[in-house]
């Protein structure tokens, strides 16, 4: 791992179009050799996009591996490039909502697109934040990842085991909560609502935290710019009348919003995650090997 991180440090000096193409080429190889992750990706795409032919889904899965690999290699730029270079490569639309963040508790709702780290950097270039952090198994990688995510401003990172209380305290101290809301963490604190027409265990935490703090919920999505020119970070208007009185409806609204964004950049969503892992009682796992 230390050798790999050293290689990434060397590669961050390359122009982004060269580094991005290296990442894409590696992704093409990974698509061929990582059979388990390829199976998960294709299973997700079959459930989410049945309107596509199998040939189209395979092509989309290959593009996803290329995008995912590219995003990993391009993190070298996020971790080590000077601030001036990052500001040139990251196009923020329309701007980091500093006024809303300073006005009161704020949740920055960031779905799992492969460039989500870019969204975090765009925020950290302007203000500190808090977030949930899962410690990486490899200590060297964990050290670099933590340092890369906090090199511009202090960041408060909490373990999921600590619950929401430290997050709420940080939000009340005007730290925006950078929240990744769309992973399958099991049935606890989740509800089954449709994601691309299939029930998926969906966290109710965004709605519950917003209700308890009065937080503004501002979605943010990071995607690649065309022709390897950098990244686009889009901040959407704060959701009005969210979450309302019904947390299930709030979860359904969140999933519908994410679906719309995925349709805009389908190869860049995190399809290698078992999004439909937790099933309603009596329903078999869709990830069992196909005959």
């Amino acid at each position: 791992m230390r050798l790999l991180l050293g290689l990434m440090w060397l590669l961050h000096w390359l122009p982004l179009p060269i580094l991005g193409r290296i990442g894409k080429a590696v992704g093409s190889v990974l698509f061929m050799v990582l059979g388990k992750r390829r199976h998960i990706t294709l299973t997700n795409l079959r459930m989410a996009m049945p309107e596509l032919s199998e040939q189209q889904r395979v092509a989309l899965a290959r593009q996803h591996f290329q995008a995912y690999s590219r995003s990993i290699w391009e993190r070298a730029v996020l971790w080590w490039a000077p601030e001036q270079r990052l500001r040139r490569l990251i196009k923020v639309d329309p701007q980091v909502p500093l006024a809303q963040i300073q006005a009161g508790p704020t949740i920055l709702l960031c779905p799992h697109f492969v460039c989500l780290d870019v969204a975090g950097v765009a925020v950290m270039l302007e203000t500190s934040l808090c977030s949930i952090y899962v410690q990486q198994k490899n200590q060297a990688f964990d050290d670099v990842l933590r340092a890369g995510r906090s090199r511009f401003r202090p960041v408060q990172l909490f373990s999921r085991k600590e619950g929401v209380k430290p997050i709420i305290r940080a939000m009340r101290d005007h730290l925006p909560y950078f929240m990744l809301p769309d992973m399958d963490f099991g049935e606890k604190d989740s509800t089954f609502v449709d994601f691309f027409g299939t029930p998926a265990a969906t966290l109710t935490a965004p709605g519950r935290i917003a209700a308890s703090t009065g937080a503004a919920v501002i979605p943010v999505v990071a995607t690649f710019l065309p022709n390897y020119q950098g990244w686009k970070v889009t901040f959407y208007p704060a959701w009005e009348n969210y979450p309302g009185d019904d947390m299930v409806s709030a979860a359904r609204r969140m999933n519908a919003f994410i679906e719309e964004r995925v349709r805009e950049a389908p190869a860049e969503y995190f399809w290698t995650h078992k999004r439909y892992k937790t099933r309603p009682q009596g329903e078999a796992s869709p990830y069992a090997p196909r005959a």
Side-chain angles (χ1 to χ4, degrees), residues 244-258:
D245 298 326
D246 185 352
M247 294 303 152
V248 175
S249 296
R252 188 177 295 114
R253 177 180 176 181
M254 180 182 73
N255 278 3
F257 172 85
I258 296 172

Side-chain angles (χ1 to χ4, degrees), residues 104-163:
T106 306
I107 297 174
L108 299 175
L109 199 78
C110 185
H112 273 83
F113 285 76
V114 296
C115 294
L116 65 87
D117 275 67
V118 181
V121 171
V123 176
M124 291 293 291
L125 286 171
E126 307 298 339
T127 182
S128 297
L129 54 75
C130 68
S131 190
I132 295 291
Y133 181 78
V134 178
Q135 185 171 0
Q136 305 300 301
K137 294 179 180 179
N138 183 280
Q139 189 60 51
F141 181 71
D142 188 77
D143 291 342
V144 170
L145 185 59
R146 281 177 174 268
R149 288 180 173 178
S150 60
R151 69 190 184 107
F152 295 110
R153 284 175 175 79
V155 58
Q156 292 193 28
L157 299 175
F158 304 109
S159 166
R160 191 169 300 279
K161 296 178 182 179
E162 297 179 73

Side-chain angles (χ1 to χ4, degrees), residues 6-211:
L7 175 61
M8 290 182 69
W9 180 83
L10 290 173
L11 292 178
H12 96 272
W13 296 102
L14 292 174
L16 191 62
I18 296 177
L19 181 58
R21 286 180 171 88
I22 291 172
K24 182 178 179 180
V26 173
S28 297
V29 175
L30 294 177
F31 178 76
M32 293 186 289
V33 301
L34 296 182
K36 182 177 179 180
R37 288 295 165 184
R38 184 175 65 244
H39 169 68
I40 293 170
T41 300
L42 288 170
T43 300
N44 285 332
L45 291 174
R46 291 183 188 110
M47 298 178 73
M49 299 183 178
E51 71 277 9
L52 299 181
S53 68
E54 186 67 7
Q55 184 178 11
Q56 289 173 317
R57 285 191 288 266
V58 170
L60 181 55
R62 181 179 291 106
Q63 292 168 13
H64 170 64
F65 272 71
Q66 293 168 344
Y68 191 21
S69 170
R70 177 183 163 188
S71 73
I72 292 173
W73 289 99
E74 289 182 0
R75 285 181 193 178
V77 177
L78 302 178
W79 292 343
W80 292 298
E83 179 177 338
Q84 183 179 7
R85 184 183 181 192
L86 291 176
R87 289 188 180 276
R88 187 173 67 250
L89 292 172
I90 301 174
K91 309 302 181 186
V92 181
D93 180 26
Q95 59 188 1
V96 178
L98 289 177
Q100 287 177 291
I101 290 171
Q102 294 164 0
T106 306
I107 297 174
L108 299 175
L109 199 78
C110 185
H112 273 83
F113 285 76
V114 296
C115 294
L116 65 87
D117 275 67
V118 181
V121 171
V123 176
M124 291 293 291
L125 286 171
E126 307 298 339
T127 182
S128 297
L129 54 75
C130 68
S131 190
I132 295 291
Y133 181 78
V134 178
Q135 185 171 0
Q136 305 300 301
K137 294 179 180 179
N138 183 280
Q139 189 60 51
F141 181 71
D142 188 77
D143 291 342
V144 170
L145 185 59
R146 281 177 174 268
R149 288 180 173 178
S150 60
R151 69 190 184 107
F152 295 110
R153 284 175 175 79
V155 58
Q156 292 193 28
L157 299 175
F158 304 109
S159 166
R160 191 169 300 279
K161 296 178 182 179
E162 297 179 73
V164 300
K165 288 184 179 180
I167 295 171
I168 291 175
R169 285 195 297 267
M171 290 172 64
R172 287 173 176 164
D173 289 335
H174 298 284
L175 282 183
Y177 175 29
F178 191 81
M179 187 179 195
L180 312 177
D182 53 334
M183 299 287 274
D184 186 337
F185 292 107
E187 291 190 57
K188 184 180 179 182
D189 299 324
S190 297
T191 185
F192 283 103
V193 295
D194 278 2
F195 185 61
F196 284 96
T198 299
T202 302
L203 291 173
T204 57
R208 290 188 288 107
I209 295 175

